[in-house]
Short mmCIF file of all heavy atoms in Angstrom, two decimals:
data_model
loop_
_atom_site.label_atom_id
_atom_site.label_comp_id
_atom_site.label_asym_id
_atom_site.label_seq_id
_atom_site.Cartn_x
_atom_site.Cartn_y
_atom_site.Cartn_z
N THR N 698 94.74 47.22 102.17
CA THR N 698 95.67 47.92 103.08
C THR N 698 94.90 48.85 103.96
O THR N 698 94.09 49.66 103.49
CB THR N 698 96.71 48.70 102.30
OG1 THR N 698 97.42 47.80 101.44
CG2 THR N 698 97.72 49.32 103.28
N LEU N 699 95.10 48.69 105.26
CA LEU N 699 94.44 49.57 106.25
C LEU N 699 95.49 50.34 106.99
O LEU N 699 96.39 49.73 107.59
CB LEU N 699 93.59 48.74 107.19
CG LEU N 699 92.87 49.47 108.26
CD1 LEU N 699 91.85 50.39 107.68
CD2 LEU N 699 92.25 48.48 109.27
N LYS N 700 95.40 51.66 106.95
CA LYS N 700 96.30 52.55 107.72
C LYS N 700 95.58 53.29 108.80
O LYS N 700 94.48 53.73 108.54
CB LYS N 700 96.98 53.50 106.79
CG LYS N 700 97.88 52.92 105.76
CD LYS N 700 98.61 54.01 104.97
CE LYS N 700 99.48 53.43 103.92
NZ LYS N 700 100.16 54.40 103.13
N SER N 701 96.18 53.34 109.98
CA SER N 701 95.57 54.10 111.03
C SER N 701 96.60 54.98 111.74
O SER N 701 97.79 54.67 111.72
CB SER N 701 94.95 53.15 112.07
OG SER N 701 95.91 52.28 112.63
N TYR N 702 96.10 56.07 112.22
CA TYR N 702 97.03 57.06 112.86
C TYR N 702 96.48 57.43 114.31
O TYR N 702 95.25 57.50 114.47
CB TYR N 702 97.08 58.33 112.03
CG TYR N 702 97.68 58.16 110.67
CD1 TYR N 702 96.81 57.95 109.55
CD2 TYR N 702 99.01 58.14 110.45
CE1 TYR N 702 97.32 57.80 108.32
CE2 TYR N 702 99.50 57.99 109.18
CZ TYR N 702 98.67 57.80 108.09
OH TYR N 702 99.19 57.62 106.86
N TRP N 703 97.37 57.61 115.18
CA TRP N 703 97.04 58.07 116.53
C TRP N 703 97.43 59.51 116.66
O TRP N 703 98.67 59.82 116.50
CB TRP N 703 97.74 57.20 117.60
CG TRP N 703 97.22 55.81 117.63
CD1 TRP N 703 97.73 54.75 116.98
CD2 TRP N 703 96.04 55.32 118.29
NE1 TRP N 703 96.95 53.61 117.20
CE2 TRP N 703 95.94 53.95 118.04
CE3 TRP N 703 95.13 55.95 119.17
CZ2 TRP N 703 94.92 53.19 118.57
CZ3 TRP N 703 94.10 55.16 119.65
CH2 TRP N 703 93.99 53.83 119.37
N ILE N 704 96.53 60.37 117.00
CA ILE N 704 96.79 61.81 117.14
C ILE N 704 96.60 62.16 118.60
O ILE N 704 95.56 61.92 119.15
CB ILE N 704 95.90 62.61 116.18
CG1 ILE N 704 96.16 62.23 114.78
CG2 ILE N 704 96.17 64.09 116.40
CD1 ILE N 704 95.21 62.84 113.82
N ARG N 705 97.62 62.84 119.18
CA ARG N 705 97.52 63.26 120.56
C ARG N 705 97.86 64.77 120.66
O ARG N 705 98.56 65.32 119.79
CB ARG N 705 98.53 62.52 121.41
CG ARG N 705 98.27 61.04 121.46
CD ARG N 705 99.26 60.33 122.42
NE ARG N 705 99.30 58.93 122.01
CZ ARG N 705 100.36 58.22 121.98
NH1 ARG N 705 101.53 58.78 122.17
NH2 ARG N 705 100.33 56.96 121.64
N GLN N 706 97.42 65.34 121.72
CA GLN N 706 97.70 66.78 121.95
C GLN N 706 99.10 66.85 122.47
O GLN N 706 99.51 66.21 123.41
CB GLN N 706 96.73 67.38 122.97
CG GLN N 706 95.27 67.47 122.50
CD GLN N 706 94.40 67.95 123.57
OE1 GLN N 706 94.76 68.19 124.69
NE2 GLN N 706 93.11 68.14 123.23
N GLY N 707 99.89 67.74 121.83
CA GLY N 707 101.25 68.01 122.26
C GLY N 707 101.34 69.03 123.39
O GLY N 707 100.33 69.52 123.91
N SER N 708 102.54 69.33 123.77
CA SER N 708 102.70 70.29 124.92
C SER N 708 102.39 71.70 124.53
O SER N 708 102.05 72.57 125.34
CB SER N 708 104.15 70.23 125.41
OG SER N 708 105.04 70.56 124.37
N ALA N 709 102.44 71.97 123.23
CA ALA N 709 102.18 73.40 122.73
C ALA N 709 100.67 73.57 122.30
O ALA N 709 100.34 74.59 121.75
CB ALA N 709 103.04 73.71 121.55
N PHE N 710 99.82 72.57 122.55
CA PHE N 710 98.42 72.63 122.17
C PHE N 710 97.66 73.70 123.02
O PHE N 710 97.87 73.82 124.17
CB PHE N 710 97.72 71.32 122.36
CG PHE N 710 96.27 71.33 122.06
CD1 PHE N 710 95.83 71.29 120.73
CD2 PHE N 710 95.31 71.43 123.05
CE1 PHE N 710 94.52 71.36 120.35
CE2 PHE N 710 93.97 71.50 122.74
CZ PHE N 710 93.57 71.44 121.41
N SER N 711 96.87 74.53 122.26
CA SER N 711 96.08 75.53 122.91
C SER N 711 94.83 75.82 122.07
O SER N 711 94.88 75.77 120.86
CB SER N 711 96.89 76.83 123.02
OG SER N 711 96.13 77.85 123.58
N THR N 712 93.75 76.09 122.71
CA THR N 712 92.52 76.44 121.99
C THR N 712 92.36 77.92 121.72
O THR N 712 91.55 78.30 121.00
CB THR N 712 91.29 75.94 122.79
OG1 THR N 712 91.31 76.52 124.08
CG2 THR N 712 91.27 74.44 122.91
N ALA N 713 93.23 78.70 122.39
CA ALA N 713 93.17 80.15 122.20
C ALA N 713 94.08 80.54 121.03
O ALA N 713 95.17 79.98 120.84
CB ALA N 713 93.64 80.86 123.46
N VAL N 714 93.60 81.48 120.20
CA VAL N 714 94.40 81.95 119.10
C VAL N 714 95.16 83.17 119.54
O VAL N 714 94.59 84.21 119.88
CB VAL N 714 93.47 82.32 117.87
CG1 VAL N 714 94.34 82.84 116.76
CG2 VAL N 714 92.65 81.13 117.44
N ALA N 715 96.55 83.06 119.45
CA ALA N 715 97.36 84.19 119.95
C ALA N 715 97.85 84.93 118.66
O ALA N 715 98.41 84.35 117.75
CB ALA N 715 98.57 83.64 120.64
N ARG N 716 97.53 86.23 118.64
CA ARG N 716 97.94 87.03 117.56
C ARG N 716 99.27 87.71 117.93
O ARG N 716 99.32 88.50 118.87
CB ARG N 716 96.93 88.12 117.21
CG ARG N 716 95.62 87.41 116.75
CD ARG N 716 94.72 88.45 116.18
NE ARG N 716 95.25 89.09 115.04
CZ ARG N 716 94.75 89.08 113.83
NH1 ARG N 716 93.60 88.48 113.65
NH2 ARG N 716 95.32 89.69 112.82
N PRO N 717 100.33 87.51 117.12
CA PRO N 717 101.61 88.14 117.50
C PRO N 717 101.58 89.64 117.18
O PRO N 717 100.82 90.11 116.34
CB PRO N 717 102.62 87.42 116.57
CG PRO N 717 101.81 86.92 115.46
CD PRO N 717 100.40 86.61 116.01
N GLU N 718 102.40 90.41 117.89
CA GLU N 718 102.43 91.82 117.70
C GLU N 718 103.16 92.13 116.38
O GLU N 718 104.07 91.38 115.92
CB GLU N 718 103.23 92.50 118.81
CG GLU N 718 102.55 92.45 120.17
CD GLU N 718 101.37 93.38 120.21
OE1 GLU N 718 101.36 94.40 119.58
OE2 GLU N 718 100.43 93.04 120.93
N THR N 719 102.78 93.21 115.72
CA THR N 719 103.38 93.57 114.45
C THR N 719 104.18 94.88 114.52
O THR N 719 105.02 95.10 113.66
CB THR N 719 102.31 93.70 113.39
OG1 THR N 719 101.36 94.65 113.79
CG2 THR N 719 101.62 92.38 113.08
N GLU N 720 103.96 95.66 115.58
CA GLU N 720 104.67 96.92 115.70
C GLU N 720 105.20 97.10 117.12
O GLU N 720 104.63 96.64 118.09
CB GLU N 720 103.69 98.09 115.42
CG GLU N 720 103.16 98.14 114.01
CD GLU N 720 102.25 99.29 113.75
OE1 GLU N 720 102.15 100.16 114.66
OE2 GLU N 720 101.67 99.41 112.68
N LEU N 721 106.32 97.72 117.15
CA LEU N 721 107.00 98.04 118.38
C LEU N 721 106.76 99.52 118.72
O LEU N 721 107.21 100.41 117.92
CB LEU N 721 108.51 97.75 118.35
CG LEU N 721 109.28 98.03 119.59
CD1 LEU N 721 108.84 97.01 120.68
CD2 LEU N 721 110.81 97.78 119.30
N THR N 722 106.03 99.83 119.76
CA THR N 722 105.68 101.20 120.09
C THR N 722 106.58 101.74 121.18
O THR N 722 107.22 100.99 121.92
CB THR N 722 104.22 101.26 120.56
OG1 THR N 722 104.04 100.44 121.77
CG2 THR N 722 103.27 100.70 119.51
N PRO N 723 106.62 103.12 121.28
CA PRO N 723 107.44 103.69 122.35
C PRO N 723 106.96 103.32 123.73
O PRO N 723 107.75 103.16 124.66
CB PRO N 723 107.24 105.16 122.16
CG PRO N 723 106.89 105.35 120.70
CD PRO N 723 106.17 104.06 120.32
N GLU N 724 105.64 103.05 123.87
CA GLU N 724 105.13 102.64 125.19
C GLU N 724 105.64 101.22 125.58
O GLU N 724 105.93 100.97 126.73
CB GLU N 724 103.62 102.64 125.21
CG GLU N 724 102.96 103.98 125.07
CD GLU N 724 102.93 104.52 123.69
OE1 GLU N 724 103.07 103.72 122.74
OE2 GLU N 724 102.77 105.74 123.52
N MET N 725 105.76 100.38 124.59
CA MET N 725 106.29 98.98 124.86
C MET N 725 107.71 99.08 125.31
O MET N 725 108.16 98.36 126.20
CB MET N 725 106.20 98.12 123.61
CG MET N 725 104.84 97.74 123.27
SD MET N 725 104.99 96.72 121.77
CE MET N 725 103.30 96.38 121.40
N ILE N 726 108.47 100.00 124.69
CA ILE N 726 109.88 100.14 125.10
C ILE N 726 110.02 100.75 126.46
O ILE N 726 110.83 100.31 127.28
CB ILE N 726 110.64 101.04 124.05
CG1 ILE N 726 110.66 100.26 122.67
CG2 ILE N 726 112.07 101.36 124.51
CD1 ILE N 726 111.19 101.16 121.55
N ALA N 727 109.21 101.73 126.78
CA ALA N 727 109.26 102.44 128.09
C ALA N 727 108.90 101.46 129.21
O ALA N 727 109.50 101.50 130.25
CB ALA N 727 108.36 103.64 128.10
N THR N 728 107.87 100.65 129.02
CA THR N 728 107.41 99.75 130.10
C THR N 728 108.20 98.46 130.11
O THR N 728 108.11 97.75 131.15
CB THR N 728 105.93 99.44 129.94
OG1 THR N 728 105.67 98.81 128.68
CG2 THR N 728 105.10 100.70 130.01
N GLY N 729 108.83 98.08 129.00
CA GLY N 729 109.51 96.83 128.97
C GLY N 729 108.62 95.61 128.63
O GLY N 729 109.06 94.46 128.75
N SER N 730 107.41 95.91 128.15
CA SER N 730 106.49 94.82 127.88
C SER N 730 106.86 94.07 126.63
O SER N 730 106.37 92.98 126.36
CB SER N 730 105.08 95.39 127.81
OG SER N 730 104.97 96.23 126.70
N TRP N 731 107.72 94.66 125.80
CA TRP N 731 108.05 94.00 124.52
C TRP N 731 108.86 92.71 124.80
O TRP N 731 108.89 91.82 123.92
CB TRP N 731 108.89 94.94 123.66
CG TRP N 731 110.16 95.34 124.24
CD1 TRP N 731 110.40 96.41 125.08
CD2 TRP N 731 111.43 94.71 124.11
NE1 TRP N 731 111.73 96.46 125.44
CE2 TRP N 731 112.39 95.41 124.90
CE3 TRP N 731 111.85 93.60 123.41
CZ2 TRP N 731 113.70 95.03 124.95
CZ3 TRP N 731 113.18 93.20 123.46
CH2 TRP N 731 114.12 93.93 124.22
N ARG N 732 109.44 92.57 125.93
CA ARG N 732 110.25 91.36 126.24
C ARG N 732 109.38 90.13 126.30
O ARG N 732 109.88 89.02 125.99
CB ARG N 732 111.01 91.59 127.49
CG ARG N 732 112.09 92.62 127.41
CD ARG N 732 112.96 92.67 128.65
NE ARG N 732 113.95 93.68 128.54
CZ ARG N 732 114.02 94.81 129.23
NH1 ARG N 732 113.11 95.04 130.12
NH2 ARG N 732 114.94 95.70 128.99
N ARG N 733 108.16 90.25 126.78
CA ARG N 733 107.31 89.08 126.99
C ARG N 733 106.25 88.83 125.92
O ARG N 733 105.45 87.95 125.98
CB ARG N 733 106.64 89.10 128.35
CG ARG N 733 105.71 90.27 128.59
CD ARG N 733 105.13 90.27 130.00
NE ARG N 733 104.22 91.33 130.18
CZ ARG N 733 104.55 92.62 130.56
NH1 ARG N 733 105.82 92.84 130.77
NH2 ARG N 733 103.71 93.52 130.71
N LEU N 734 106.24 89.72 124.87
CA LEU N 734 105.26 89.56 123.81
C LEU N 734 105.86 88.88 122.61
O LEU N 734 106.99 89.06 122.25
CB LEU N 734 104.85 91.01 123.34
CG LEU N 734 104.07 91.82 124.36
CD1 LEU N 734 103.85 93.26 123.85
CD2 LEU N 734 102.73 91.16 124.71
N PRO N 735 105.09 88.03 121.93
CA PRO N 735 105.52 87.38 120.71
C PRO N 735 105.37 88.37 119.57
O PRO N 735 104.36 89.05 119.41
CB PRO N 735 104.61 86.17 120.54
CG PRO N 735 103.35 86.60 121.23
CD PRO N 735 103.76 87.48 122.38
N PHE N 736 106.37 88.46 118.69
CA PHE N 736 106.30 89.32 117.53
C PHE N 736 106.24 88.50 116.23
O PHE N 736 106.80 87.45 116.13
CB PHE N 736 107.53 90.23 117.48
CG PHE N 736 107.43 91.41 118.43
CD1 PHE N 736 108.01 91.30 119.71
CD2 PHE N 736 106.80 92.55 118.13
CE1 PHE N 736 107.90 92.30 120.61
CE2 PHE N 736 106.72 93.60 119.01
CZ PHE N 736 107.30 93.48 120.29
N LYS N 737 105.56 89.06 115.26
CA LYS N 737 105.41 88.44 113.97
C LYS N 737 106.79 88.51 113.26
O LYS N 737 107.41 89.58 113.22
CB LYS N 737 104.35 89.11 113.13
CG LYS N 737 104.12 88.53 111.75
CD LYS N 737 103.03 89.30 111.06
CE LYS N 737 102.86 88.72 109.68
NZ LYS N 737 101.76 89.45 108.96
N PRO N 738 107.29 87.43 112.68
CA PRO N 738 108.56 87.49 111.96
C PRO N 738 108.44 88.33 110.68
O PRO N 738 107.43 88.34 110.07
CB PRO N 738 108.89 86.02 111.61
CG PRO N 738 107.61 85.34 111.67
CD PRO N 738 106.72 86.07 112.69
N TYR N 739 109.52 89.06 110.35
CA TYR N 739 109.53 89.92 109.19
C TYR N 739 109.82 89.11 107.95
O TYR N 739 110.64 88.18 108.00
CB TYR N 739 110.60 90.99 109.33
CG TYR N 739 110.16 92.07 110.30
CD1 TYR N 739 110.71 92.20 111.51
CD2 TYR N 739 109.21 93.03 109.88
CE1 TYR N 739 110.31 93.21 112.41
CE2 TYR N 739 108.83 94.04 110.73
CZ TYR N 739 109.34 94.10 111.97
OH TYR N 739 108.97 95.09 112.84
N ASN N 740 109.28 89.42 106.86
CA ASN N 740 109.51 88.77 105.57
C ASN N 740 110.25 89.82 104.71
O ASN N 740 109.71 90.69 104.06
CB ASN N 740 108.21 88.41 104.89
CG ASN N 740 108.46 87.65 103.59
OD1 ASN N 740 109.57 87.38 103.23
ND2 ASN N 740 107.38 87.26 102.89
N PHE N 741 111.60 89.72 104.65
CA PHE N 741 112.40 90.67 103.92
C PHE N 741 112.42 90.42 102.43
O PHE N 741 112.89 91.25 101.65
CB PHE N 741 113.86 90.63 104.45
CG PHE N 741 113.90 91.21 105.89
CD1 PHE N 741 114.13 90.35 106.96
CD2 PHE N 741 113.82 92.53 106.09
CE1 PHE N 741 114.19 90.89 108.22
CE2 PHE N 741 113.83 93.07 107.37
CZ PHE N 741 114.08 92.22 108.46
N SER N 742 111.87 89.32 101.98
CA SER N 742 111.85 89.02 100.53
C SER N 742 110.58 89.45 99.86
O SER N 742 110.43 89.32 98.64
CB SER N 742 112.09 87.51 100.34
OG SER N 742 111.04 86.82 100.89
N SER N 743 109.61 89.99 100.62
CA SER N 743 108.36 90.43 100.00
C SER N 743 108.62 91.83 99.29
O SER N 743 109.48 92.54 99.68
CB SER N 743 107.27 90.60 101.04
OG SER N 743 107.57 91.63 101.95
N LEU N 744 107.86 92.03 98.25
CA LEU N 744 108.03 93.20 97.43
C LEU N 744 107.33 94.46 97.95
O LEU N 744 107.86 95.56 97.85
CB LEU N 744 107.56 92.98 95.99
CG LEU N 744 108.35 91.84 95.27
CD1 LEU N 744 107.76 91.65 93.88
CD2 LEU N 744 109.77 92.22 95.17
N GLY N 745 106.19 94.29 98.57
CA GLY N 745 105.48 95.46 99.07
C GLY N 745 104.63 96.16 98.03
O GLY N 745 104.53 95.70 96.91
N LEU N 746 104.00 97.22 98.35
CA LEU N 746 103.13 97.93 97.44
C LEU N 746 103.97 98.94 96.64
O LEU N 746 104.85 99.57 97.18
CB LEU N 746 102.03 98.66 98.18
CG LEU N 746 101.04 97.85 98.93
CD1 LEU N 746 100.13 98.74 99.78
CD2 LEU N 746 100.27 96.99 98.00
N PRO N 747 103.65 99.10 95.36
CA PRO N 747 104.35 100.12 94.56
C PRO N 747 103.96 101.44 95.06
O PRO N 747 102.76 101.76 95.42
CB PRO N 747 103.98 99.86 93.12
CG PRO N 747 102.62 99.09 93.22
CD PRO N 747 102.71 98.34 94.54
N PRO N 748 104.89 102.46 95.01
CA PRO N 748 104.49 103.82 95.50
C PRO N 748 103.55 104.46 94.53
O PRO N 748 103.62 104.28 93.30
CB PRO N 748 105.84 104.54 95.52
CG PRO N 748 106.69 103.81 94.58
CD PRO N 748 106.25 102.37 94.62
N ALA N 749 102.62 105.23 95.05
CA ALA N 749 101.64 105.98 94.24
C ALA N 749 102.30 107.24 93.80
O ALA N 749 102.53 108.19 94.56
CB ALA N 749 100.34 106.25 95.05
N CYS N 750 102.66 107.33 92.55
CA CYS N 750 103.33 108.55 92.03
C CYS N 750 102.95 108.77 90.56
O CYS N 750 102.26 107.96 89.94
CB CYS N 750 104.85 108.44 92.17
SG CYS N 750 105.51 107.02 91.29
N GLY N 751 103.39 109.89 89.99
CA GLY N 751 103.12 110.17 88.59
C GLY N 751 101.92 111.08 88.40
O GLY N 751 101.40 111.12 87.33
N HIS N 752 101.53 111.82 89.39
CA HIS N 752 100.39 112.69 89.23
C HIS N 752 100.84 114.04 88.66
O HIS N 752 101.98 114.47 88.85
CB HIS N 752 99.72 112.96 90.59
CG HIS N 752 99.14 111.73 91.20
ND1 HIS N 752 98.05 111.11 90.74
CD2 HIS N 752 99.60 110.93 92.20
CE1 HIS N 752 97.79 110.03 91.47
NE2 HIS N 752 98.76 109.87 92.40
N LEU N 753 99.89 114.68 87.94
CA LEU N 753 100.24 116.01 87.37
C LEU N 753 100.16 117.07 88.47
O LEU N 753 99.37 116.96 89.41
CB LEU N 753 99.22 116.35 86.27
CG LEU N 753 99.41 115.55 85.00
CD1 LEU N 753 98.28 115.95 84.02
CD2 LEU N 753 100.75 115.75 84.36
N HIS N 754 100.93 118.13 88.30
CA HIS N 754 100.91 119.30 89.17
C HIS N 754 99.53 119.97 88.94
O HIS N 754 99.00 120.00 87.87
CB HIS N 754 102.05 120.23 88.81
CG HIS N 754 102.25 121.24 89.85
ND1 HIS N 754 101.51 122.46 89.84
CD2 HIS N 754 103.03 121.35 90.94
CE1 HIS N 754 101.89 123.22 90.87
NE2 HIS N 754 102.82 122.55 91.51
N PRO N 755 98.95 120.49 90.01
CA PRO N 755 97.60 121.11 89.88
C PRO N 755 97.58 122.25 88.82
O PRO N 755 96.59 122.36 88.09
CB PRO N 755 97.29 121.65 91.29
CG PRO N 755 98.13 120.81 92.19
CD PRO N 755 99.35 120.41 91.42
N LEU N 756 98.64 123.01 88.73
CA LEU N 756 98.67 124.06 87.70
C LEU N 756 98.75 123.49 86.30
O LEU N 756 98.15 124.09 85.38
CB LEU N 756 99.85 125.01 87.96
CG LEU N 756 99.74 125.89 89.21
CD1 LEU N 756 101.00 126.71 89.38
CD2 LEU N 756 98.53 126.76 89.15
N LEU N 757 99.38 122.38 86.10
CA LEU N 757 99.40 121.75 84.81
C LEU N 757 98.06 121.21 84.48
O LEU N 757 97.66 121.18 83.29
CB LEU N 757 100.46 120.67 84.77
CG LEU N 757 101.90 121.10 84.78
CD1 LEU N 757 102.82 119.85 84.87
CD2 LEU N 757 102.23 121.95 83.58
N LYS N 758 97.29 120.76 85.44
CA LYS N 758 95.92 120.29 85.22
C LYS N 758 95.05 121.42 84.71
O LYS N 758 94.26 121.29 83.76
CB LYS N 758 95.35 119.67 86.43
CG LYS N 758 95.84 118.28 86.80
CD LYS N 758 95.13 117.74 88.00
CE LYS N 758 95.75 116.46 88.48
NZ LYS N 758 94.99 115.93 89.68
N VAL N 759 95.15 122.55 85.40
CA VAL N 759 94.33 123.73 84.97
C VAL N 759 94.71 124.19 83.59
O VAL N 759 93.86 124.52 82.77
CB VAL N 759 94.52 124.89 86.04
CG1 VAL N 759 93.93 126.18 85.54
CG2 VAL N 759 93.96 124.49 87.39
N ARG N 760 95.99 124.17 83.29
CA ARG N 760 96.48 124.61 81.99
C ARG N 760 95.94 123.72 80.88
O ARG N 760 95.48 124.20 79.83
CB ARG N 760 98.04 124.65 81.92
CG ARG N 760 98.53 125.23 80.60
CD ARG N 760 100.02 125.30 80.62
NE ARG N 760 100.52 123.92 80.38
CZ ARG N 760 101.82 123.64 80.21
NH1 ARG N 760 102.74 124.60 80.37
NH2 ARG N 760 102.22 122.43 80.00
N SER N 761 95.97 122.44 81.13
CA SER N 761 95.47 121.48 80.09
C SER N 761 93.92 121.62 79.98
O SER N 761 93.40 121.49 78.87
CB SER N 761 95.83 120.05 80.45
OG SER N 761 95.21 119.66 81.64
N GLU N 762 93.22 121.91 81.03
CA GLU N 762 91.75 122.06 80.97
C GLU N 762 91.44 123.34 80.19
O GLU N 762 90.56 123.35 79.29
CB GLU N 762 91.16 122.14 82.38
CG GLU N 762 91.08 120.83 83.09
CD GLU N 762 90.53 120.97 84.49
OE1 GLU N 762 89.86 122.01 84.78
OE2 GLU N 762 90.63 120.01 85.23
N LEU N 763 92.18 124.45 80.44
CA LEU N 763 91.97 125.72 79.70
C LEU N 763 92.30 125.55 78.20
O LEU N 763 91.60 126.00 77.35
CB LEU N 763 92.76 126.82 80.30
CG LEU N 763 92.27 127.37 81.61
CD1 LEU N 763 93.25 128.39 82.23
CD2 LEU N 763 90.91 127.95 81.51
N ARG N 764 93.36 124.79 77.93
CA ARG N 764 93.74 124.56 76.55
C ARG N 764 92.66 123.78 75.81
O ARG N 764 92.33 124.07 74.70
CB ARG N 764 95.06 123.79 76.50
CG ARG N 764 95.56 123.54 75.17
CD ARG N 764 96.99 122.92 75.24
NE ARG N 764 97.54 122.78 73.88
CZ ARG N 764 97.59 121.64 73.23
NH1 ARG N 764 97.16 120.51 73.75
NH2 ARG N 764 98.06 121.60 72.02
N GLN N 765 92.10 122.75 76.51
CA GLN N 765 91.02 121.98 75.87
C GLN N 765 89.81 122.81 75.65
O GLN N 765 89.13 122.71 74.59
CB GLN N 765 90.72 120.76 76.81
CG GLN N 765 89.72 119.85 76.20
CD GLN N 765 90.30 119.17 74.93
OE1 GLN N 765 91.47 118.93 74.83
NE2 GLN N 765 89.38 118.87 74.00
N ILE N 766 89.50 123.73 76.60
CA ILE N 766 88.30 124.64 76.40
C ILE N 766 88.51 125.47 75.16
O ILE N 766 87.66 125.70 74.33
CB ILE N 766 88.08 125.46 77.66
CG1 ILE N 766 87.60 124.56 78.81
CG2 ILE N 766 87.14 126.60 77.42
CD1 ILE N 766 87.50 125.22 80.17
N PHE N 767 89.69 126.12 75.04
CA PHE N 767 89.99 127.06 73.92
C PHE N 767 90.05 126.24 72.57
O PHE N 767 89.60 126.78 71.60
CB PHE N 767 91.31 127.78 74.15
CG PHE N 767 91.25 128.83 75.18
CD1 PHE N 767 92.17 129.00 76.13
CD2 PHE N 767 90.19 129.79 75.13
CE1 PHE N 767 92.12 129.95 77.07
CE2 PHE N 767 90.06 130.81 76.06
CZ PHE N 767 91.03 130.90 77.07
N LEU N 768 90.46 124.98 72.63
CA LEU N 768 90.49 124.22 71.42
C LEU N 768 89.08 123.87 70.95
O LEU N 768 88.74 123.86 69.77
CB LEU N 768 91.30 122.91 71.64
CG LEU N 768 92.82 123.09 71.62
CD1 LEU N 768 93.45 121.74 71.98
CD2 LEU N 768 93.28 123.56 70.31
N GLU N 769 88.18 123.62 71.94
CA GLU N 769 86.78 123.35 71.61
C GLU N 769 86.09 124.58 71.08
O GLU N 769 85.18 124.46 70.27
CB GLU N 769 86.05 122.78 72.84
CG GLU N 769 86.47 121.36 73.23
CD GLU N 769 85.86 120.90 74.52
OE1 GLU N 769 85.08 121.69 75.12
OE2 GLU N 769 86.14 119.77 74.91
N MET N 770 86.47 125.74 71.59
CA MET N 770 85.88 127.04 71.10
C MET N 770 86.32 127.36 69.68
O MET N 770 85.70 128.10 68.97
CB MET N 770 86.19 128.18 72.04
CG MET N 770 85.49 128.05 73.37
SD MET N 770 86.02 129.26 74.59
CE MET N 770 85.81 130.80 73.78
N GLY N 771 87.47 126.82 69.26
CA GLY N 771 88.01 127.08 67.93
C GLY N 771 89.05 128.13 68.02
O GLY N 771 89.55 128.74 67.15
#
C-alpha cells in the first residue's frame, strides 16, 4: 500500500511568528490600538499559582530565637 499526500500553503500561511498581546494597558485604550491587535485567549479553567502565605510575624521569630538561646544556656 502506497499513500501520498499533497500539501499546499493556505490563505493564512505566514513565515512570521505573531505573538498575541496578553495585557490591555491604559495607553492601548486611550489610542484605540487594542481594536487591531490580536489578544491571547484566557484560560479560565487553569488553577494558577498558590499564594505564598504562612510566614511567622517578625516578633514571633525573635521570640523563638531568644527562647532557643535561653534553652541552650540552661
